[in-house]
Amino acid sequence: MKKQGLCVFAGALMLAVSGAQAALSATELAMLEADAWRARMGFHLLSIRGDNPEDRAALRQLLEAGEGRVAELKSQAEGDEVSQANAFGQAWNDLSRRAMDNPLASLGYADYGAMSEMNTTTLAMAELAEQAQSAPDAQYLDIADLSVSMQRLASEYLALAAFPSAGLPTGTGLAPLDFALEAKSIDDTLSRLKSRYASDPQANEVLAFVEQRWVFVRGTIPRMNEQDTNKVPYLFYRYATQIAERVDELVAP
Protein backbone atom coordinates (compact mmCIF):
# COMPACT_ATOMS: atom_id res chain seq x y z
CA MET A 1 0.00 0.00 0.00
CA LYS A 2 2.27 2.69 -1.31
CA LYS A 3 1.78 6.19 0.05
CA GLN A 4 2.87 9.58 -1.21
CA GLY A 5 4.13 12.63 0.60
CA LEU A 6 6.94 11.03 2.63
CA CYS A 7 9.84 13.07 3.87
CA VAL A 8 13.01 13.55 1.80
CA PHE A 9 14.79 11.13 4.12
CA ALA A 10 12.41 8.31 3.23
CA GLY A 11 12.86 9.07 -0.46
CA ALA A 12 16.61 8.85 -0.12
CA LEU A 13 16.31 5.47 1.53
CA MET A 14 14.12 4.19 -1.30
CA LEU A 15 16.69 5.28 -3.84
CA ALA A 16 19.25 3.17 -2.02
CA VAL A 17 17.25 0.02 -2.69
CA SER A 18 15.90 0.69 -6.18
CA GLY A 19 16.99 -1.90 -8.69
CA ALA A 20 18.48 -4.22 -6.04
CA GLN A 21 17.39 -7.79 -5.46
CA ALA A 22 16.17 -8.49 -1.92
CA ALA A 23 18.07 -11.14 0.03
CA LEU A 24 14.93 -11.86 2.05
CA SER A 25 11.89 -13.38 0.36
CA ALA A 26 8.91 -11.21 -0.53
CA THR A 27 6.94 -12.86 2.27
CA GLU A 28 9.65 -12.18 4.84
CA LEU A 29 9.83 -8.57 3.69
CA ALA A 30 6.08 -8.27 4.17
CA MET A 31 6.47 -9.53 7.73
CA LEU A 32 9.20 -6.95 8.31
CA GLU A 33 6.75 -4.29 7.14
CA ALA A 34 4.14 -5.70 9.52
CA ASP A 35 6.72 -5.41 12.31
CA ALA A 36 7.19 -1.73 11.50
CA TRP A 37 3.47 -1.05 11.88
CA ARG A 38 3.44 -3.11 15.07
CA ALA A 39 6.27 -0.98 16.44
CA ARG A 40 4.19 2.13 15.81
CA MET A 41 1.25 0.45 17.51
CA GLY A 42 3.44 -0.38 20.51
CA PHE A 43 4.67 3.21 20.67
CA HIS A 44 1.11 4.48 21.07
CA LEU A 45 0.13 1.73 23.48
CA LEU A 46 2.72 3.20 25.87
CA SER A 47 0.65 6.41 25.93
CA ILE A 48 -2.64 4.60 26.38
CA ARG A 49 -1.51 2.44 29.30
CA GLY A 50 0.82 4.90 31.02
CA ASP A 51 4.21 3.54 30.01
CA ASN A 52 3.34 0.09 31.35
CA PRO A 53 6.58 -1.92 31.90
CA GLU A 54 5.07 -5.02 30.28
CA ASP A 55 4.16 -3.04 27.17
CA ARG A 56 7.64 -1.53 27.00
CA ALA A 57 9.20 -5.00 27.33
CA ALA A 58 6.95 -6.38 24.57
CA LEU A 59 7.88 -3.48 22.30
CA ARG A 60 11.58 -3.99 22.96
CA GLN A 61 11.22 -7.70 22.12
CA LEU A 62 9.46 -6.84 18.86
CA LEU A 63 12.17 -4.36 17.89
CA GLU A 64 14.87 -6.92 18.64
CA ALA A 65 13.08 -9.45 16.43
CA GLY A 66 12.99 -6.90 13.62
CA GLU A 67 16.65 -6.23 14.16
CA GLY A 68 17.21 -9.95 13.70
CA ARG A 69 15.38 -9.90 10.37
CA VAL A 70 17.52 -6.99 9.22
CA ALA A 71 20.68 -8.75 10.43
CA GLU A 72 19.70 -11.75 8.29
CA LEU A 73 19.26 -9.45 5.33
CA LYS A 74 22.73 -8.01 5.89
CA SER A 75 24.32 -11.44 6.26
CA GLN A 76 22.92 -12.57 2.89
CA ALA A 77 23.65 -9.35 1.01
CA GLU A 78 26.11 -9.41 -1.87
CA GLY A 79 27.15 -6.83 -4.43
CA ASP A 80 24.40 -4.28 -5.03
CA GLU A 81 22.42 -5.80 -2.15
CA VAL A 82 24.86 -4.34 0.41
CA SER A 83 23.59 -0.78 0.04
CA GLN A 84 20.05 -2.10 0.26
CA ALA A 85 20.83 -3.97 3.47
CA ASN A 86 22.50 -0.90 4.96
CA ALA A 87 19.42 1.18 4.15
CA PHE A 88 17.27 -1.34 5.98
CA GLY A 89 19.62 -1.23 8.96
CA GLN A 90 19.54 2.56 9.15
CA ALA A 91 15.76 2.70 8.78
CA TRP A 92 15.17 0.06 11.45
CA ASN A 93 17.57 1.76 13.88
CA ASP A 94 15.76 5.08 13.41
CA LEU A 95 12.38 3.41 13.89
CA SER A 96 13.53 1.56 17.01
CA ARG A 97 15.02 4.66 18.62
CA ARG A 98 11.81 6.62 18.11
CA ALA A 99 9.49 3.80 19.16
CA MET A 100 11.14 3.45 22.57
CA ASP A 101 11.02 7.20 23.28
CA ASN A 102 7.45 8.40 23.77
CA PRO A 103 7.25 11.71 25.68
CA LEU A 104 3.46 11.48 26.07
CA ALA A 105 3.90 8.16 27.87
CA SER A 106 6.96 8.98 29.97
CA LEU A 107 6.56 12.73 30.62
CA GLY A 108 2.86 13.32 30.08
CA TYR A 109 3.01 15.91 27.32
CA ALA A 110 2.13 15.63 23.64
CA ASP A 111 5.26 16.04 21.55
CA TYR A 112 4.15 16.58 17.94
CA GLY A 113 7.71 16.13 16.74
CA ALA A 114 7.82 12.66 18.28
CA MET A 115 4.48 11.69 16.74
CA SER A 116 5.55 13.04 13.36
CA GLU A 117 8.85 11.15 13.48
CA MET A 118 7.08 7.96 14.53
CA ASN A 119 4.97 8.28 11.38
CA THR A 120 7.81 9.06 9.00
CA THR A 121 10.17 6.36 10.32
CA THR A 122 7.41 3.74 10.12
CA LEU A 123 6.49 4.76 6.60
CA ALA A 124 10.13 4.79 5.53
CA MET A 125 10.56 1.21 6.75
CA ALA A 126 7.33 0.10 5.10
CA GLU A 127 8.33 1.69 1.79
CA LEU A 128 11.74 0.00 1.87
CA ALA A 129 10.15 -3.41 2.46
CA GLU A 130 7.71 -2.94 -0.42
CA GLN A 131 10.35 -1.50 -2.74
CA ALA A 132 12.54 -4.58 -2.22
CA GLN A 133 9.83 -7.15 -2.97
CA SER A 134 10.42 -8.88 -6.30
CA ALA A 135 8.42 -12.12 -6.12
CA PRO A 136 4.68 -11.36 -6.09
CA ASP A 137 3.82 -15.08 -6.22
CA ALA A 138 5.83 -16.04 -3.13
CA GLN A 139 4.18 -18.64 -0.90
CA TYR A 140 1.55 -17.16 1.43
CA LEU A 141 2.52 -13.62 0.43
CA ASP A 142 -1.16 -12.68 0.14
CA ILE A 143 -1.76 -13.82 3.73
CA ALA A 144 1.30 -11.89 4.88
CA ASP A 145 -0.05 -8.81 3.07
CA LEU A 146 -3.36 -9.23 4.88
CA SER A 147 -1.46 -9.09 8.16
CA VAL A 148 0.30 -5.92 6.98
CA SER A 149 -3.07 -4.30 6.26
CA MET A 150 -4.38 -5.28 9.67
CA GLN A 151 -1.27 -4.05 11.51
CA ARG A 152 -1.42 -0.73 9.65
CA LEU A 153 -5.08 -0.30 10.55
CA ALA A 154 -4.42 -1.28 14.17
CA SER A 155 -1.50 1.12 14.49
CA GLU A 156 -3.65 4.00 13.25
CA TYR A 157 -6.47 2.92 15.56
CA LEU A 158 -4.15 3.09 18.56
CA ALA A 159 -2.56 6.34 17.37
CA LEU A 160 -5.91 8.14 17.33
CA ALA A 161 -7.00 6.51 20.58
CA ALA A 162 -3.80 7.77 22.20
CA PHE A 163 -4.05 11.32 20.89
CA PRO A 164 -6.33 12.89 18.24
CA SER A 165 -3.40 14.45 16.36
CA ALA A 166 -1.17 11.38 16.32
CA GLY A 167 -2.57 9.95 13.09
CA LEU A 168 -0.70 9.34 9.85
CA PRO A 169 -1.31 12.82 8.40
CA THR A 170 0.91 14.34 11.12
CA GLY A 171 4.28 15.07 9.56
CA THR A 172 3.56 13.24 6.30
CA GLY A 173 0.94 15.18 4.35
CA LEU A 174 -1.09 12.00 3.91
CA ALA A 175 -4.88 12.00 3.90
CA PRO A 176 -6.64 10.61 7.00
CA LEU A 177 -7.16 6.87 6.94
CA ASP A 178 -10.65 5.86 5.85
CA PHE A 179 -11.37 3.22 8.49
CA ALA A 180 -14.62 2.02 6.96
CA LEU A 181 -13.03 1.57 3.54
CA GLU A 182 -9.97 -0.19 4.95
CA ALA A 183 -12.13 -2.50 7.05
CA LYS A 184 -14.26 -3.42 4.03
CA SER A 185 -11.09 -4.16 2.07
CA ILE A 186 -9.92 -6.50 4.84
CA ASP A 187 -13.33 -8.19 4.87
CA ASP A 188 -13.13 -8.80 1.12
CA THR A 189 -9.52 -10.00 1.23
CA LEU A 190 -10.21 -12.38 4.08
CA SER A 191 -13.18 -13.86 2.23
CA ARG A 192 -11.11 -14.31 -0.93
CA LEU A 193 -8.22 -15.95 0.92
CA LYS A 194 -10.51 -18.36 2.76
CA SER A 195 -11.78 -19.54 -0.62
CA ARG A 196 -8.31 -19.74 -2.15
CA TYR A 197 -6.82 -21.76 0.71
CA ALA A 198 -9.84 -23.92 1.49
CA SER A 199 -7.85 -27.07 0.66
CA ASP A 200 -4.71 -25.99 2.57
CA PRO A 201 -5.17 -27.14 6.20
CA GLN A 202 -2.37 -24.98 7.61
CA ALA A 203 -3.41 -21.78 5.90
CA ASN A 204 -7.10 -22.48 6.49
CA GLU A 205 -6.51 -22.85 10.23
CA VAL A 206 -4.60 -19.56 10.40
CA LEU A 207 -7.24 -17.71 8.39
CA ALA A 208 -9.98 -19.06 10.67
CA PHE A 209 -8.02 -17.70 13.64
CA VAL A 210 -7.56 -14.35 11.91
CA GLU A 211 -11.27 -14.12 11.16
CA GLN A 212 -12.19 -14.97 14.74
CA ARG A 213 -10.01 -12.17 16.11
CA TRP A 214 -11.09 -9.73 13.40
CA VAL A 215 -14.78 -10.20 14.20
CA PHE A 216 -14.24 -9.04 17.79
CA VAL A 217 -12.92 -5.60 16.78
CA ARG A 218 -14.58 -5.14 13.39
CA GLY A 219 -17.69 -3.45 14.76
CA THR A 220 -15.76 -0.60 16.37
CA ILE A 221 -13.98 0.48 13.17
CA PRO A 222 -16.53 2.32 10.97
CA ARG A 223 -17.24 4.81 13.78
CA MET A 224 -13.59 5.25 14.75
CA ASN A 225 -13.50 8.89 13.62
CA GLU A 226 -16.42 9.83 15.88
CA GLN A 227 -15.10 11.33 19.11
CA ASP A 228 -17.78 9.74 21.31
CA THR A 229 -17.18 6.24 19.95
CA ASN A 230 -16.26 3.65 22.57
CA LYS A 231 -12.77 2.62 21.46
CA VAL A 232 -11.07 -0.65 22.42
CA PRO A 233 -7.36 0.04 21.74
CA TYR A 234 -5.86 -2.58 24.06
CA LEU A 235 -8.16 -5.30 22.72
CA PHE A 236 -7.26 -4.24 19.19
CA TYR A 237 -3.57 -4.34 20.09
CA ARG A 238 -3.84 -7.83 21.58
CA TYR A 239 -5.76 -9.31 18.67
CA ALA A 240 -3.67 -7.62 15.99
CA THR A 241 -0.54 -8.90 17.72
CA GLN A 242 -1.91 -12.43 17.91
CA ILE A 243 -2.81 -12.28 14.21
CA ALA A 244 0.71 -11.13 13.29
CA GLU A 245 2.28 -13.90 15.34
CA ARG A 246 0.11 -16.64 13.83
CA VAL A 247 0.77 -15.43 10.29
CA ASP A 248 4.47 -15.19 11.07
CA GLU A 249 4.46 -18.84 12.15
CA LEU A 250 2.71 -19.84 8.92
CA VAL A 251 5.12 -18.05 6.58
CA ALA A 252 8.33 -18.76 8.51
CA PRO A 253 10.91 -20.46 6.23
Side-chain angles (χ1 to χ4, degrees):
M1 44 185 83
K2 298 282 194 314
K3 301 295 178 182
Q4 302 299 320
L6 301 188
C7 60
V8 173
F9 170 70
L13 285 176
M14 284 190 287
L15 287 175
V17 304
S18 60
Q21 177 70 30
L24 288 177
S25 73
T27 305
E28 291 170 310
L29 287 165
M31 297 315 297
L32 183 59
E33 181 180 353
D35 283 351
W37 291 113
R38 291 176 62 195
R40 179 175 181 258
M41 181 168 59
F43 170 86
H44 289 296
L45 184 66
L46 294 177
S47 299
I48 293 168
R49 289 180 20 112
D51 213 8
N52 185 297
E54 292 182 2
D55 298 337
R56 182 167 285 276
L59 177 55
R60 183 177 293 107
Q61 184 176 11
L62 170 67
L63 294 170
E64 289 174 353
E67 185 178 351
R69 293 187 199 271
V70 173
E72 181 181 355
L73 179 67
K74 287 184 173 182
S75 71
Q76 297 175 9
E78 297 179 355
D80 291 341
E81 294 173 351
V82 173
S83 62
Q84 178 192 52
N86 289 337
F88 271 99
Q90 179 184 346
W92 192 261
N93 287 340
D94 292 341
L95 173 66
S96 298
R97 174 188 53 77
R98 180 73 275 165
M100 293 300 296
D101 181 12
N102 183 333
L104 182 57
S106 58
L107 301 176
Y109 73 90
D111 185 329
Y112 287 91
M115 296 174 191
S116 171
E117 190 179 3
M118 191 68 243
N119 289 338
T120 55
T121 55
T122 302
L123 285 164
M125 193 68 221
E127 288 284 355
L128 284 174
E130 292 188 0
Q131 187 79 7
Q133 287 188 13
S134 59
D137 295 326
Q139 186 178 31
Y140 298 137
L141 177 59
D142 45 9
I143 298 179
D145 283 339
L146 174 65
S147 179
V148 172
S149 297
M150 288 182 162
Q151 304 314 313
R152 177 174 175 268
L153 183 69
S155 78
E156 186 69 350
Y157 190 105
L158 266 78
L160 295 180
F163 198 78
S165 298
L168 280 170
T170 299
T172 67
L174 296 175
L177 188 71
D178 187 328
F179 281 91
L181 186 63
E182 294 290 335
K184 178 61 166 58
S185 176
I186 289 173
D187 289 340
D188 293 344
T189 300
L190 186 54
S191 177
R192 185 175 69 253
L193 292 178
K194 285 171 57 184
S195 176
R196 177 176 181 179
Y197 290 102
S199 60
D200 183 328
Q202 264 190 309
N204 194 44
E205 181 181 353
V206 170
L207 289 170
F209 178 86
V210 170
E211 183 177 39
Q212 180 190 56
R213 293 299 188 267
W214 174 242
V215 166
F216 276 106
V217 294
R218 175 65 174 85
T220 72
I221 293 172
R223 298 180 302 278
M224 179 64 195
N225 291 328
E226 298 176 12
Q227 292 187 358
D228 59 348
T229 297
N230 182 30
K231 301 176 179 64
V232 290
Y234 184 60
L235 186 67
F236 215 130
Y237 166 85
R238 282 177 52 201
Y239 287 171
T241 298
Q242 290 171 6
I243 287 170
E245 291 173 348
R246 285 297 295 270
V247 173
D248 208 2
E249 290 174 3
L250 174 69
V251 306

mmCIF file of all heavy atoms in Angstrom, residues 94-120:
data_model
loop_
_atom_site.group_PDB
_atom_site.id
_atom_site.type_symbol
_atom_site.label_atom_id
_atom_site.label_comp_id
_atom_site.label_asym_id
_atom_site.label_seq_id
_atom_site.Cartn_x
_atom_site.Cartn_y
_atom_site.Cartn_z
ATOM 1 N N ASP A 94 16.489 3.835 13.195
ATOM 2 C CA ASP A 94 15.755 5.080 13.411
ATOM 3 C C ASP A 94 14.363 4.798 13.978
ATOM 4 O O ASP A 94 13.892 5.484 14.896
ATOM 5 C CB ASP A 94 15.633 5.860 12.104
ATOM 6 C CG ASP A 94 16.973 6.402 11.617
ATOM 7 O OD1 ASP A 94 17.912 6.501 12.434
ATOM 8 O OD2 ASP A 94 17.079 6.722 10.409
ATOM 9 N N LEU A 95 13.704 3.788 13.416
ATOM 10 C CA LEU A 95 12.377 3.411 13.890
ATOM 11 C C LEU A 95 12.431 2.941 15.340
ATOM 12 O O LEU A 95 11.602 3.344 16.175
ATOM 13 C CB LEU A 95 11.813 2.309 12.994
ATOM 14 C CG LEU A 95 10.492 1.662 13.426
ATOM 15 C CD1 LEU A 95 9.347 2.666 13.352
ATOM 16 C CD2 LEU A 95 10.178 0.451 12.555
ATOM 17 N N SER A 96 13.410 2.114 15.659
ATOM 18 C CA SER A 96 13.526 1.561 17.010
ATOM 19 C C SER A 96 13.795 2.653 18.039
ATOM 20 O O SER A 96 13.207 2.661 19.135
ATOM 21 C CB SER A 96 14.652 0.519 17.061
ATOM 22 O OG SER A 96 14.366 -0.561 16.200
ATOM 23 N N ARG A 97 14.688 3.564 17.693
ATOM 24 C CA ARG A 97 15.021 4.656 18.620
ATOM 25 C C ARG A 97 13.776 5.490 18.931
ATOM 26 O O ARG A 97 13.499 5.804 20.082
ATOM 27 C CB ARG A 97 16.107 5.538 18.008
ATOM 28 C CG ARG A 97 16.438 6.789 18.823
ATOM 29 C CD ARG A 97 17.379 7.708 18.071
ATOM 30 N NE ARG A 97 16.883 8.040 16.730
ATOM 31 C CZ ARG A 97 15.907 8.928 16.507
ATOM 32 N NH1 ARG A 97 15.325 9.553 17.521
ATOM 33 N NH2 ARG A 97 15.519 9.184 15.261
ATOM 34 N N ARG A 98 13.011 5.812 17.902
ATOM 35 C CA ARG A 98 11.814 6.622 18.108
ATOM 36 C C ARG A 98 10.747 5.864 18.881
ATOM 37 O O ARG A 98 10.075 6.425 19.758
ATOM 38 C CB ARG A 98 11.263 7.063 16.749
ATOM 39 C CG ARG A 98 10.007 7.914 16.798
ATOM 40 C CD ARG A 98 10.293 9.316 17.289
ATOM 41 N NE ARG A 98 10.288 9.432 18.736
ATOM 42 C CZ ARG A 98 10.786 10.477 19.395
ATOM 43 N NH1 ARG A 98 11.337 11.480 18.743
ATOM 44 N NH2 ARG A 98 10.741 10.528 20.725
ATOM 45 N N ALA A 99 10.558 4.593 18.543
ATOM 46 C CA ALA A 99 9.491 3.805 19.156
ATOM 47 C C ALA A 99 9.660 3.682 20.666
ATOM 48 O O ALA A 99 8.676 3.648 21.413
ATOM 49 C CB ALA A 99 9.428 2.417 18.519
ATOM 50 N N MET A 100 10.891 3.626 21.143
ATOM 51 C CA MET A 100 11.142 3.450 22.569
ATOM 52 C C MET A 100 11.144 4.772 23.334
ATOM 53 O O MET A 100 11.290 4.783 24.554
ATOM 54 C CB MET A 100 12.476 2.727 22.784
ATOM 55 C CG MET A 100 12.503 1.289 22.314
ATOM 56 S SD MET A 100 11.276 0.229 23.145
ATOM 57 C CE MET A 100 11.864 0.290 24.848
ATOM 58 N N ASP A 101 10.971 5.882 22.638
ATOM 59 C CA ASP A 101 11.018 7.200 23.280
ATOM 60 C C ASP A 101 9.708 7.940 23.012
ATOM 61 O O ASP A 101 9.561 8.604 21.999
ATOM 62 C CB ASP A 101 12.212 8.002 22.750
ATOM 63 C CG ASP A 101 12.325 9.374 23.393
ATOM 64 O OD1 ASP A 101 11.631 9.630 24.400
ATOM 65 O OD2 ASP A 101 13.105 10.203 22.882
ATOM 66 N N ASN A 102 8.761 7.801 23.920
ATOM 67 C CA ASN A 102 7.446 8.396 23.771
ATOM 68 C C ASN A 102 7.212 9.412 24.899
ATOM 69 O O ASN A 102 6.878 9.030 26.022
ATOM 70 C CB ASN A 102 6.366 7.313 23.811
ATOM 71 C CG ASN A 102 4.968 7.869 23.585
ATOM 72 O OD1 ASN A 102 4.677 9.019 23.865
ATOM 73 N ND2 ASN A 102 4.077 7.026 23.090
ATOM 74 N N PRO A 103 7.400 10.705 24.626
ATOM 75 C CA PRO A 103 7.247 11.715 25.683
ATOM 76 C C PRO A 103 5.851 11.753 26.306
ATOM 77 O O PRO A 103 5.721 12.038 27.503
ATOM 78 C CB PRO A 103 7.551 13.032 24.952
ATOM 79 C CG PRO A 103 8.409 12.628 23.795
ATOM 80 C CD PRO A 103 7.879 11.299 23.370
ATOM 81 N N LEU A 104 4.807 11.467 25.511
ATOM 82 C CA LEU A 104 3.458 11.478 26.069
ATOM 83 C C LEU A 104 3.309 10.390 27.126
ATOM 84 O O LEU A 104 2.631 10.578 28.143
ATOM 85 C CB LEU A 104 2.430 11.279 24.952
ATOM 86 C CG LEU A 104 0.950 11.319 25.361
ATOM 87 C CD1 LEU A 104 0.604 12.636 26.052
ATOM 88 C CD2 LEU A 104 0.045 11.098 24.152
ATOM 89 N N ALA A 105 3.973 9.256 26.912
ATOM 90 C CA ALA A 105 3.901 8.158 27.872
ATOM 91 C C ALA A 105 4.776 8.409 29.091
ATOM 92 O O ALA A 105 4.354 8.195 30.225
ATOM 93 C CB ALA A 105 4.317 6.852 27.188
ATOM 94 N N SER A 106 6.003 8.866 28.867
ATOM 95 C CA SER A 106 6.964 8.976 29.965
ATOM 96 C C SER A 106 6.900 10.306 30.713
ATOM 97 O O SER A 106 7.180 10.360 31.917
ATOM 98 C CB SER A 106 8.384 8.755 29.440
ATOM 99 O OG SER A 106 8.694 9.703 28.426
ATOM 100 N N LEU A 107 6.539 11.395 30.011
ATOM 101 C CA LEU A 107 6.562 12.726 30.620
ATOM 102 C C LEU A 107 5.183 13.372 30.696
ATOM 103 O O LEU A 107 5.010 14.386 31.382
ATOM 104 C CB LEU A 107 7.513 13.646 29.833
ATOM 105 C CG LEU A 107 8.967 13.172 29.741
ATOM 106 C CD1 LEU A 107 9.772 14.105 28.851
ATOM 107 C CD2 LEU A 107 9.592 13.079 31.134
ATOM 108 N N GLY A 108 4.220 12.830 29.976
ATOM 109 C CA GLY A 108 2.858 13.323 30.078
ATOM 110 C C GLY A 108 2.518 14.501 29.192
ATOM 111 O O GLY A 108 1.484 15.143 29.383
ATOM 112 N N TYR A 109 3.357 14.820 28.224
ATOM 113 C CA TYR A 109 3.008 15.913 27.317
ATOM 114 C C TYR A 109 3.074 15.432 25.866
ATOM 115 O O TYR A 109 3.867 14.569 25.515
ATOM 116 C CB TYR A 109 3.920 17.130 27.513
ATOM 117 C CG TYR A 109 5.330 16.975 26.992
ATOM 118 C CD1 TYR A 109 5.648 17.328 25.679
ATOM 119 C CD2 TYR A 109 6.347 16.481 27.806
ATOM 120 C CE1 TYR A 109 6.944 17.190 25.192
ATOM 121 C CE2 TYR A 109 7.641 16.340 27.326
ATOM 122 C CZ TYR A 109 7.931 16.698 26.024
ATOM 123 O OH TYR A 109 9.214 16.553 25.543
ATOM 124 N N ALA A 110 2.210 16.030 25.036
ATOM 125 C CA ALA A 110 2.130 15.628 23.637
ATOM 126 C C ALA A 110 3.228 16.313 22.834
ATOM 127 O O ALA A 110 3.223 17.532 22.683
ATOM 128 C CB ALA A 110 0.767 15.986 23.065
ATOM 129 N N ASP A 111 4.149 15.536 22.349
ATOM 130 C CA ASP A 111 5.263 16.038 21.546
ATOM 131 C C ASP A 111 4.937 15.745 20.077
ATOM 132 O O ASP A 111 5.051 14.611 19.623
ATOM 133 C CB ASP A 111 6.554 15.342 21.976
ATOM 134 C CG ASP A 111 7.783 15.890 21.276
ATOM 135 O OD1 ASP A 111 7.657 16.340 20.126
ATOM 136 O OD2 ASP A 111 8.866 15.847 21.878
ATOM 137 N N TYR A 112 4.531 16.788 19.324
ATOM 138 C CA TYR A 112 4.145 16.584 17.938
ATOM 139 C C TYR A 112 5.330 16.127 17.096
ATOM 140 O O TYR A 112 5.166 15.387 16.128
ATOM 141 C CB TYR A 112 3.548 17.876 17.362
ATOM 142 C CG TYR A 112 2.169 18.170 17.893
ATOM 143 C CD1 TYR A 112 2.001 18.945 19.036
ATOM 144 C CD2 TYR A 112 1.039 17.651 17.278
ATOM 145 C CE1 TYR A 112 0.724 19.210 19.540
ATOM 146 C CE2 TYR A 112 -0.233 17.906 17.770
ATOM 147 C CZ TYR A 112 -0.379 18.690 18.907
ATOM 148 O OH TYR A 112 -1.630 18.939 19.403
ATOM 149 N N GLY A 113 6.527 16.573 17.467
ATOM 150 C CA GLY A 113 7.707 16.132 16.743
ATOM 151 C C GLY A 113 7.911 14.635 16.863
ATOM 152 O O GLY A 113 8.263 13.954 15.894
ATOM 153 N N ALA A 114 7.681 14.100 18.064
ATOM 154 C CA ALA A 114 7.821 12.660 18.281
ATOM 155 C C ALA A 114 6.780 11.886 17.486
ATOM 156 O O ALA A 114 7.075 10.852 16.873
ATOM 157 C CB ALA A 114 7.700 12.339 19.774
ATOM 158 N N MET A 115 5.542 12.368 17.494
ATOM 159 C CA MET A 115 4.480 11.693 16.740
ATOM 160 C C MET A 115 4.762 11.735 15.245
ATOM 161 O O MET A 115 4.572 10.735 14.537
ATOM 162 C CB MET A 115 3.136 12.360 17.040
ATOM 163 C CG MET A 115 2.685 12.236 18.474
ATOM 164 S SD MET A 115 1.180 13.193 18.771
ATOM 165 C CE MET A 115 1.102 13.136 20.573
ATOM 166 N N SER A 116 5.217 12.897 14.770
ATOM 167 C CA SER A 116 5.547 13.035 13.358
ATOM 168 C C SER A 116 6.672 12.085 12.970
ATOM 169 O O SER A 116 6.601 11.392 11.939
ATOM 170 C CB SER A 116 5.953 14.483 13.052
ATOM 171 O OG SER A 116 6.463 14.597 11.744
ATOM 172 N N GLU A 117 7.712 12.021 13.788
ATOM 173 C CA GLU A 117 8.845 11.151 13.480
ATOM 174 C C GLU A 117 8.446 9.683 13.558
ATOM 175 O O GLU A 117 8.957 8.855 12.791
ATOM 176 C CB GLU A 117 10.007 11.447 14.424
ATOM 177 C CG GLU A 117 11.284 10.747 14.008
ATOM 178 C CD GLU A 117 12.452 11.047 14.932
ATOM 179 O OE1 GLU A 117 12.262 11.752 15.944
ATOM 180 O OE2 GLU A 117 13.551 10.566 14.637
ATOM 181 N N MET A 118 7.545 9.343 14.463
ATOM 182 C CA MET A 118 7.077 7.964 14.528
ATOM 183 C C MET A 118 6.391 7.600 13.219
ATOM 184 O O MET A 118 6.557 6.493 12.689
ATOM 185 C CB MET A 118 6.101 7.791 15.703
ATOM 186 C CG MET A 118 5.759 6.332 16.012
ATOM 187 S SD MET A 118 7.157 5.410 16.671
ATOM 188 C CE MET A 118 7.404 4.162 15.400
ATOM 189 N N ASN A 119 5.629 8.533 12.668
ATOM 190 C CA ASN A 119 4.965 8.281 11.384
ATOM 191 C C ASN A 119 5.965 8.138 10.245
ATOM 192 O O ASN A 119 5.896 7.195 9.447
ATOM 193 C CB ASN A 119 3.989 9.417 11.071
ATOM 194 C CG ASN A 119 2.765 9.400 11.964
ATOM 195 O OD1 ASN A 119 2.416 8.375 12.527
ATOM 196 N ND2 ASN A 119 2.115 10.542 12.093
ATOM 197 N N THR A 120 6.900 9.075 10.149
ATOM 198 C CA THR A 120 7.808 9.058 8.996
ATOM 199 C C THR A 120 8.783 7.888 9.055
ATOM 200 O O THR A 120 9.109 7.303 8.017
ATOM 201 C CB THR A 120 8.595 10.382 8.899
ATOM 202 O OG1 THR A 120 9.283 10.646 10.125
ATOM 203 C CG2 THR A 120 7.665 11.542 8.587
#
